[in-house]
Each structure stands twice: as structure tokens, then as C-alpha cells.
Amino acid sequence: MMNKAILVTGAARSGKSEWAEDLAINSGKAVVYIATATQNPDDPEWQERIEKHQKRRPQNWITLCVPVELTATLAQSQPNTCLLVDSLGTWVANFMEDDDDLVWENTVTELLEILPLVAADVIFVAEETGWGVVPAYPMGRKFRDRLGALVRQLGGICEPVYLVTGGHALNLSLLGVPLPKS
């Protein structure tokens, strides 16, 4: 039987990470925070964002920096733990240098196939990037399309799926109707 997989999605600065952190705290399990971002000392604003997330986390959480090997990390999880993956947008961005769509599709397939076998509960945090204009440059469109497709696929697997916007978390699993599988 698959453990719980939760998806928390929303816009930038919507509170999705805080909501996911609250869900993790309330899981009653040991929390492993899977950070997909990498440190960049040459970008003080990026470092400030990372530090803000770090300061908010409880001291007893284990933090793993996993910019790419998310599937392998999930596969190695232990029972009675809650994995908090923050964020899928950064994880997708870490693959943008690889222009091979087949490699990306295989990466997503591996992630989706391992999820039912993961021993821990998993909370995914994902950005909604497709609510604005279509990016005017190819890399931006590719990122938006990759992340959007991944979020949709996970949304079909995860239960519940939350949308965080306007300072509120909406349980889309209760309010919405799932789309047919594509």
C-alpha cells in the first residue's frame, strides 16, 4: 500500500512552503526536508531566501540537499518518516541545462514509478508558473511546460492536492473534479 503523497502548489510567496511545513509537523513523523536548491554565495538574494527557509524549520528536522537525485532519495526513505520536497520548480530548473527531452521524460517516469514504492509519506511543494503570459523565450517555455506537466501528473497521484493562494490553502481533492488521465 502506498504511503501518503501530498501535493502543495501555488504562486510565488503564496505560503505554500509554510503550509507544507505545517502538514509535515502535524504528520507526527520524523521529518526529512529535501531541499532542491543549491547554495550560491555569488547571489546574496538567493542565499537570503535559502536562509529564510532554514530558519523556519524545526531544529530536529534532517535536511538533505538533493538538487537532482530526487528519485534515488525517495527510494531510500525509511518508514515512519515524512519527506518534504521543496521545491519541484527548483528541481526542474536544475535539469534545464540538459536539452534532451527524452532524458527529462525518463527522469519524470522514474519519479512517478518509484512514488508508490516509497516507504515514507511525501509532501511535494510546487510552483504554479503557467498563470501568466507565455514566456517569450524557448528556455522559459520549456521550463513552464515541464513543471506544469509534472505538477499535473503528480496531481493525479497525490491525495490530497492543495492550492495555496491569497493566504488560504484550498483542498482541491475535496473541491475539484480530477481531469481524465492524459
Side-chain angles (χ1 to χ4, degrees):
M1 180 175 157
M2 183 171 138
N3 282 301
K4 185 177 276 192
I6 298 171
L7 176 62
V8 178
T9 186
R13 305 286 188 181
S14 65
K16 60 192 172 296
S17 292
E18 291 94 331
W19 178 250
E21 291 162 5
D22 193 57
L23 292 172
I25 288 168
N26 289 315
S27 74
K29 298 182 176 188
V31 178
V32 178
Y33 185 95
I34 300 174
T36 60
T38 55
Q39 302 279 337
N40 183 354
D42 296 329
D43 186 343
E45 191 268 337
W46 183 248
Q47 288 301 111
E48 186 178 313
R49 286 174 180 262
I50 291 173
E51 289 169 11
K52 184 177 179 183
H53 277 252
Q54 290 171 337
K55 288 177 184 173
R56 210 174 44 227
R57 282 181 229 144
Q59 294 284 331
N60 63 331
W61 287 10
I62 296 168
T63 300
L64 302 176
C65 185
V66 183
V68 176
E69 297 298 329
L70 181 56
T71 301
T73 303
L74 295 178
Q76 296 170 10
S77 69
Q78 300 299 310
N80 207 32
T81 59
C82 178
L83 308 179
L84 173 53
V85 179
D86 196 357
S87 77
L88 290 175
T90 305
W91 184 67
V92 171
N94 293 337
F95 284 91
M96 292 307 295
E97 302 263 333
D98 188 345
D99 201 32
D100 188 339
D101 287 332
L102 185 57
V103 169
W104 173 248
E105 289 171 18
N106 288 338
T107 300
V108 170
T109 298
E110 289 172 6
L111 174 66
L112 297 174
E113 287 176 352
I114 197 66
L115 196 52
L117 307 174
V118 173
D121 290 349
V122 183
I123 302 170
F124 293 103
V125 176
E127 299 80 359
E128 287 293 338
T129 61
W131 288 6
V133 297
V134 175
Y137 51 97
M139 187 70 78
R141 289 189 298 272
K142 181 177 280 199
F143 171 78
R144 184 206 56 183
D145 292 347
R146 283 182 175 182
L147 180 57
L150 175 61
V151 169
R152 180 175 178 178
Q153 289 172 298
L154 281 172
I157 297 170
C158 293
E159 175 72 31
V161 175
Y162 292 100
L163 172 64
V164 180
T165 186
H168 291 79
L170 301 170
N171 185 333
L172 297 179
S173 300
L174 294 176
L175 298 172
V177 176
L179 295 174
K181 301 260 190 240
S182 57

